[in-house]
Amino acid sequence: MVINIEGLDFAYGAGKQTVPVLKNINLTFPEGQITAIIGQTGSGKSTLVQQLNALLKPTAGEVHIGDHTVTNKTKEKALTPIRAEVGMVFQFPESQLFAPTVIEDVMYGPKNFGATDEEAKQAAEKALAKVGFDTSLYDQSPFNLSGGQMRRVALAGVLAMNPQTMVFDEPAAGLDPQGQAELLDLLRTLRDEGKTIVLISHQMEQVLALANQVVVMKDGQVAAHEPVEELFARPQSWFADQHLDLPETIAFQKEMEKQGFVFDHLAKTVDDLAKQLAGQLDSAKLTGQRSDQAGSQAQTGGPHHE
Amino acid sequence: MTNAITIKNLNYSYPEQGELFKNFDFSVQEGEWLAIVGHNGSGKSTLAKLILGLLDFDQGEIQVFDEKLSEETLASIRAQVGMVFQNPDNQFVGATVADDVAFGLENRQVPSKEMPAKIEAALKQVGMEDYAEREPHTLSGGQKQRVALASILALHPRVIILDEATAMLDPEGKQAVMETLKELKARYQDQLTLIMITHDMEEAALADRVAVVSDGQLVFDEKPETLFLKGKQLAELGLAQPFSMELQSALGISQTTYRTKQELATWLSTLKA
């Protein structure tokens, strides 16, 4: 399902009291890709993604969501099917859990959109399996779970409706590294299944690792919209102007460039960065430094051989 | 040295998921800056809730300074221990920032004449004095967490516990909160004990000591500089190591010296071929 935004303006309020938030947005969210939306707090990211499932209607312009078109004049009733096709995972979705058991919480969405108990249960079990949730906890109260487990239940609640497009707002915030890695894998799986994935994130490492293309929002406008490699090749000063960080590997690369190091491509991972650095280091000096630094523990640590 | 918090032989089981802490012993010294890290579900937030008496433990003893935690001492202990929670939106009660700070003071029956000065002083300490009349919902996440800190500071706590207080913040917000904590620590020194529950190793690096908790067990308890040399063991516990250590290890440099990013960049440039 492709989502296409054409000439969108959006303002909160009505009449003279309007507060313009989004200005002249033109964007396409392709199928089978992850589009990351980044930008400072208050840049309009959250308002923008609420147009993608018609939680907000444009003040001007059009949003094409699969076969649906949403304009300022679209009736509320026509928006309902869109909500099932575009799943939203808000920040800290576990705060919206409410049912007495895990399974009932995940079944709620499908039932709400007309599934029978049996269908809803199947969908819920499939979704819980997909997020790697322990089957023995299905009948637990979600409120007795750890933060990481609650997050999985909340994600399963959206997945159970099998939406074509999924929007994730800071999905990994507050998760431990393992939980984060598993979440990133889930997003990749969903993308590879052909879903349209939209990811809001402040974590640039995540954006670098996952996104096919990146939209940078600033003051309600699109400041950049390009493939991830192009974006992170921009100079450090550009990111500073947007109040954005660079991914750690790339920030380190740019730091080393100032010291005269040369890199032939952007380092997506620490291993890639190490490989590109190692070729430029004096191996004799490095070995010397290693044994100096290692001191008495040299026997156990030992130098590293490729 | 006085202990700010002493935990002896603590036993606690979750209502449905079984035992978490078994014969758990731990202490925090007065004036210490302690980070507690661990994977999700490791028990670190539960520990904070037990200290504040928000959860009841099954057996053992928790002591805050010289008071043993019980029904009778609960109020007095909570007067000494302030807590900042993860979600900045769940801890506001006032219509304005100043009202919010006033709320805690009113609870302590501080005379209203004395309040404005106390509120201003508390907001100044977190760099939010220009926002006193703002409505809390108009603030950014980082600003909200700093106001939450000010509300606690106004009550002169001896211990502040931050339970993943930066997890929901953007990088700027995170940095502002961490800078504020550094300033508070520099100002109060031994008068303030900071306990910071976090996943973020770059944050933990600021602490004097890091306690690593896994499934209710204390696995490591040491200075960040030595903890960060245990990259492999940290990974096994589902924890990251700081970026600089990850890169050192990818370069095959034996993990015997902790270097910050900047230190590593400087050091590597001396090794340029």
Side-chain angles (χ1 to χ4, degrees):
Chain A
M1 175 200 236
V2 179
I3 300 182
N4 207 354
I5 298 181
E6 284 171 18
L8 177 136
D9 291 335
F10 178 79
Y12 280 109
K16 282 182 188 162
Q17 297 291 312
T18 59
V19 183
V21 180
L22 298 174
K23 282 156 271 176
N24 191 29
I25 310 280
N26 294 284
L27 287 173
T28 299
F29 297 88
E31 245 172 43
Q33 285 200 14
I34 297 176
T35 303
I37 303 180
I38 64 177
Q40 208 186 353
T41 302
S43 59
K45 304 185 297 286
S46 300
T47 311
L48 175 63
V49 298
Q50 290 184 60
Q51 313 282 337
L52 302 181
N53 81 336
L55 272 179
L56 295 173
K57 290 191 287 188
T59 307
E62 295 183 348
V63 183
H64 302 280
I65 303 166
D67 302 331
H68 311 275
T69 295
V70 181
T71 68
N72 190 28
K73 295 198 168 54
T74 308
K75 296 260 186 310
E76 205 54 39
K77 226 174 114 185
L79 304 178
T80 312
I82 298 175
R83 308 270 157 78
E85 289 172 38
V86 181
M88 294 283 249
V89 181
F90 291 105
Q91 263 192 61
F92 288 78
E94 56 274 22
S95 62
Q96 294 169 28
L97 298 175
F98 68 98
T101 66
V102 165
I103 191 84
E104 286 170 90
D105 207 291
V106 181
M107 284 167 65
Y108 176 80
K111 276 170 81 172
N112 202 22
F113 282 97
T116 64
D117 275 7
E118 196 45 44
E119 288 164 351
K121 189 146 188 271
Q122 273 180 15
E125 285 175 355
K126 204 173 142 195
L128 283 164
K130 200 159 198 169
V131 297
F133 191 81
D134 188 344
T135 48
S136 70
L137 299 175
Y138 283 4
D139 295 321
Q140 286 265 338
S141 161
F143 304 103
N144 290 333
L145 303 173
S146 74
Q149 289 169 321
M150 285 170 82
R151 180 74 52 89
R152 285 166 203 261
V153 175
L155 282 172
V158 179
L159 280 173
M161 294 191 278
N162 194 26
Q164 303 293 301
T165 295
M166 288 187 76
V167 180
F168 295 88
D169 191 351
E170 297 288 351
L175 294 183
D176 59 32
Q178 197 190 335
Q180 295 205 9
E182 286 166 6
L183 190 111
L184 301 198
D185 280 341
L186 175 67
L187 262 61
R188 285 193 192 98
T189 306
L190 293 168
R191 170 192 50 200
D192 296 344
E193 286 170 4
K195 292 196 197 296
T196 307
I197 305 292
V198 180
L199 168 71
I200 294 185
S201 181
H202 286 302
Q203 265 185 288
M204 295 301 132
E205 288 72 32
Q206 237 173 61
V207 172
L208 180 65
L210 281 180
N212 300 97
Q213 52 162 351
V214 185
V215 174
V216 182
M217 295 297 293
K218 192 183 189 191
D219 302 328
Q221 287 176 298
V222 175
H225 177 207
E226 57 206 18
V228 67
E229 290 83 5
E230 257 173 60
L231 179 81
F232 287 125
R234 287 175 182 251
Q236 209 157 10
S237 57
W238 188 84
F239 284 87
D241 287 346
Q242 315 292 322
H243 297 273
L244 290 172
D245 287 343
L246 278 164
E248 299 224 72
T249 50
I250 294 175
F252 200 85
Q253 249 182 333
K254 297 203 192 237
E255 183 60 38
M256 297 312 284
E257 277 172 357
K258 287 185 207 155
Q259 320 269 359
F261 286 74
V262 185
F263 300 94
D264 55 17
H265 63 272
L266 290 176
K268 275 205 167 187
T269 63
V270 172
D271 284 338
D272 183 10
L273 173 61
K275 212 171 272 175
Q276 294 191 62
L277 272 171
Q280 303 179 60
L281 295 171
D282 183 329
S283 57
K285 272 192 200 164
L286 189 60
T287 313
Q289 284 286 357
R290 273 177 193 159
S291 50
D292 286 352
Q293 297 289 330
S296 61
Q297 290 177 47
Q299 298 102 323
T300 49
H304 180 86
H305 298 287
E306 282 297 317
Chain B
M1 269 302 223
T2 315
N3 275 357
I5 292 174
T6 315
I7 297 173
K8 280 187 209 152
N9 199 26
L10 181 77
N11 286 266
Y12 172 77
S13 296
Y14 288 118
E16 291 179 52
Q17 288 195 74
E19 188 171 78
L20 176 65
F21 292 112
K22 190 168 191 240
N23 306 333
F24 186 79
D25 291 308
F26 191 65
S27 62
V28 187
Q29 281 182 1
E30 180 173 24
E32 227 185 337
W33 185 341
L34 172 79
I36 304 180
V37 303
H39 58 78
N40 289 118
S42 60
K44 53 195 191 316
S45 294
T46 304
L47 188 61
K49 286 179 188 154
L50 288 165
I51 293 170
L52 272 176
L54 295 170
L55 289 172
D56 292 331
F57 47 91
D58 307 324
Q59 260 183 58
E61 188 180 310
I62 294 178
Q63 203 175 318
V64 177
F65 292 100
D66 46 11
E67 282 181 305
K68 213 171 121 179
L69 179 65
S70 69
E71 289 283 325
E72 292 74 43
T73 58
L74 194 58
S76 145
I77 283 176
R78 285 191 188 158
Q80 301 177 62
V81 184
M83 183 139 162
V84 182
F85 294 92
Q86 185 181 63
N87 191 335
D89 294 320
N90 289 352
Q91 33 199 332
F92 281 97
V93 286
T96 66
V97 164
D99 281 356
D100 208 78
V101 180
F103 181 77
L105 293 170
E106 278 166 12
N107 275 348
R108 297 283 166 81
Q109 287 149 7
V110 170
S112 50
K113 256 200 314 213
E114 294 172 20
M115 272 201 216
K118 285 187 191 289
I119 292 168
E120 201 192 331
L123 287 172
K124 239 184 199 146
Q125 289 179 51
V126 300
M128 289 295 291
E129 67 274 21
D130 295 338
Y131 295 80
E133 296 314 315
R134 287 275 290 271
E135 293 171 37
H137 73 89
T138 64
L139 303 179
S140 72
Q143 291 171 335
K144 284 176 187 166
Q145 291 300 60
R146 279 147 66 204
V147 173
L149 262 174
S151 301
I152 291 171
L153 286 169
L155 308 175
H156 300 293
R158 296 170 80 185
V159 180
I160 298 180
I161 303 178
L162 299 113
D163 188 3
E164 299 193 44
T166 64
M168 291 183 80
L169 307 182
D170 63 18
E172 281 192 327
K174 264 187 198 165
Q175 194 156 5
V177 170
M178 294 317 293
E179 286 305 321
T180 304
L181 290 180
K182 278 195 245 175
E183 282 162 24
L184 290 174
K185 203 70 195 64
R187 169 195 281 249
Y188 289 105
Q189 306 208 5
D190 282 353
Q191 306 297 307
L192 180 65
T193 307
L194 271 186
I195 302 175
M196 191 169 66
I197 296 169
T198 182
H199 287 309
D200 189 327
M201 288 301 189
E202 312 283 346
E203 282 181 17
L206 297 172
D208 304 319
R209 174 164 72 111
V210 186
V212 180
V213 180
S214 180
D215 303 323
Q217 307 270 337
L218 187 63
V219 188
F220 294 114
D221 184 8
E222 57 193 293
K223 287 188 161 67
E225 305 88 272
T226 60
L227 178 70
F228 295 155
L229 304 179
K230 301 188 162 127
K232 213 171 143 196
Q233 287 129 297
L234 290 176
E236 280 163 11
L237 291 166
L239 295 169
Q241 41 178 342
F243 169 78
S244 58
M245 294 310 286
E246 219 184 316
L247 180 57
Q248 284 205 114
S249 120
L251 281 166
I253 297 161
S254 46
Q255 302 281 51
T256 48
T257 310
Y258 170 64
R259 295 181 182 86
T260 63
K261 271 182 275 192
Q262 202 49 54
E263 286 163 359
L264 182 60
T266 309
W267 181 63
L268 285 176
S269 62
T270 66
L271 304 181
K272 194 170 182 301

